[in-house]
Amino acid sequence: MRLSDLRGRTVAVWGAGREGRAAVTAIAAHGPAGLVAVDDSANFLTLPWEGPLAEAAPLVTGEAGFERLAAADVVVRSPGVPNTHPWMVELRARAATITQGTALWMADHAERTVGVTGSKGKSTTSSLISHLLAAVDRPNVFGGNIGVPTLDLPEADLYVLELSSYQCTDLTDSPRVAVVTALFPEHLDAHGGEAEYYRDKLNLLAYGPRTVVVNGADPRLAVELGDRAAVRAGRPDTANVATGPDGTPWFHLAEQPLFPRAVLPLVGRHNEGNLCVALAVLDALDVDVVARKDTLAVAVAEFQGLAHRLTEIADPSGLTFVDDTLATSPYAAIHAIDAYEGRPLTVIVGGTDRGLDYSPLAAHLAEREITVIGIPDSGPRIVEALAGLPAVRTEIAEDLVAAVGLSRKLTPPGGVVLLSPAAPSYGRFRNFEHRSEVFAQAVADTAR
């Protein structure tokens, strides 16, 4: 279904956030017979619905919204509406036509698109792909789950999109190059279970992409893909890290050395994997990676990473504060913790409690000397999962600000304070950016 297919039909946009606003604006321009916006979760954090938005579509809130959704020819849901929402279950039972803004957009732009998803690494990898393409004279527009919603993107010859599992769910067209960086249990409450999450995430691959590129080192991804044809980055026949001509780790394309690992400023082995995936994508897009290796090395060296992902905050105390607020699962927190191996480390964990199993985090920390501070809502349960580990010190703080203050007392000089919450931000914060703002402000205030 394309945007043009909505002409003359009644449409209900479900969600009044960034994606919902973009959908209303785009759909209104295509002449629907009727257009309404529905928000069943309005609260004090909700932005005003006014001006051109209100003129294009009245906003219905609360329980009355279901009647408007059920009466519409097409429901365009925002990614934040989970598959398990009772209204979604009922709408599916009634065989309602349900799509998303990203699916509408992809129907017209798939052949010009690199789509990147994954339980970890999709933001960094998609950003690297866009950055490196621009460096080798392949202009592109970057957006999706990070940055600009798809329905707000300008026309271009090439797009690079970061796509969440929610955005992948309703796709009926695959991008030209479909990329998956990692798979582990995430967002199970929204998808209905682990199998459903993997199904929805891998829907990105379901409609005939020209090329599939994946992280060849990810075990769950290997199981889910089976024998499907794919470029498996990290393996010797494609982009990989191996011993280079000077005896240190280098990035390679197959057996051809490109540049030293030290060129990449991002910490952690997972970021080595992210760059391998990005290089494999460039190769799939017919970029002569070996011939352009010097240009690519400069571009890699200039890539400083993204906000909210292992972002270091300068502090006069000598401590290193690190914002990794987008680490919303135990597996993501594990990657972040490993990136600072060898330094005294205090980790702040906790957020919206989705009932995740934190035993993998406990198993990973079994031999690690570390301090863990839990904050609401899930922090106490995470701390409980770590009980009994001999080298793990645990504390509870009443909120994020208090946790930052406590971390200053508990972290040895030269150590690291890592906000890697292993849980989402919603409920107590507007979004992940808001959680980052609170963390950075707390670091600044407690330094005085």
Side-chain angles (χ1 to χ4, degrees), residues 413-426:
V416 176
V417 178
L418 171 65
L419 172 63
S420 194
S425 58
Y426 46 81

Side-chain angles (χ1 to χ4, degrees), residues 187-409:
H187 309 302
L188 304 189
D189 54 335
H191 291 272
E194 186 170 348
E196 291 79 5
Y197 167 68
Y198 295 156
R199 175 202 67 202
D200 292 343
K201 183 71 99 173
L202 295 179
N203 190 50
L204 181 72
L205 316 181
Y207 300 96
R210 283 202 209 176
T211 307
V212 174
V213 179
V214 302
N215 175 2
D218 186 274
R220 286 182 185 82
L221 190 47
V223 170
E224 293 296 323
L225 286 175
D227 59 0
R228 179 181 185 126
V231 177
R232 298 173 191 256
R235 296 190 177 181
D237 61 337
T238 180
N240 65 90
V241 178
T243 301
D246 62 358
T248 67
W250 277 53
F251 287 96
H252 291 68
L253 185 65
E255 297 181 354
Q256 293 292 321
L258 301 176
F259 43 80
R261 163 62 177 92
V263 168
L264 178 66
L266 307 184
V267 299
R269 289 184 180 177
H270 63 291
N271 279 318
E272 294 177 10
N274 292 337
L275 180 53
C276 285
V277 171
L279 292 169
V281 169
L282 264 65
D283 186 50
L285 290 171
D286 300 322
V287 173
D288 191 336
V289 172
V290 175
R292 305 299 301 271
K293 63 183 180 181
D294 292 340
T295 298
L296 290 169
V298 172
V300 168
E302 292 173 345
F303 186 81
Q304 295 302 313
L306 304 175
H308 323 297
R309 300 161 185 84
L310 295 179
T311 302
E312 297 187 357
I313 301 172
D315 188 75
S317 70
L319 296 176
T320 301
F321 286 85
V322 182
D323 173 13
D324 196 42
T325 192
L326 282 173
T328 58
S329 79
Y331 299 93
I334 286 169
H335 284 304
I337 289 167
D338 285 351
Y340 290 94
E341 188 173 5
R343 295 182 64 180
L345 182 61
T346 297
V347 184
I348 301 172
V349 299
T352 305
D353 195 341
R354 299 175 295 166
L356 292 180
D357 176 13
Y358 286 100
S359 60
L361 178 61
H364 192 75
L365 297 181
E367 306 297 328
R368 182 75 181 253
E369 185 173 346
I370 191 171
T371 298
V372 178
I373 302 174
I375 61 174
D377 295 317
S378 61
R381 193 166 67 81
I382 299 173
V383 164
E384 184 179 354
L386 306 179
L389 298 182
V392 177
R393 175 178 180 175
T394 58
E395 301 283 348
I396 298 293
E398 64 181 2
D399 57 26
L400 179 54
V401 174
V404 170
L406 181 58
S407 72
R408 288 193 179 275
K409 300 175 183 178

Side-chain angles (χ1 to χ4, degrees), residues 419-439:
L419 172 63
S420 194
S425 58
Y426 46 81
R428 293 177 179 266
F429 302 94
R430 291 190 300 274
N431 46 39
F432 68 86
E433 292 99 339
H434 184 206
R435 180 160 64 182
S436 287
E437 291 169 9
V438 171
F439 179 64

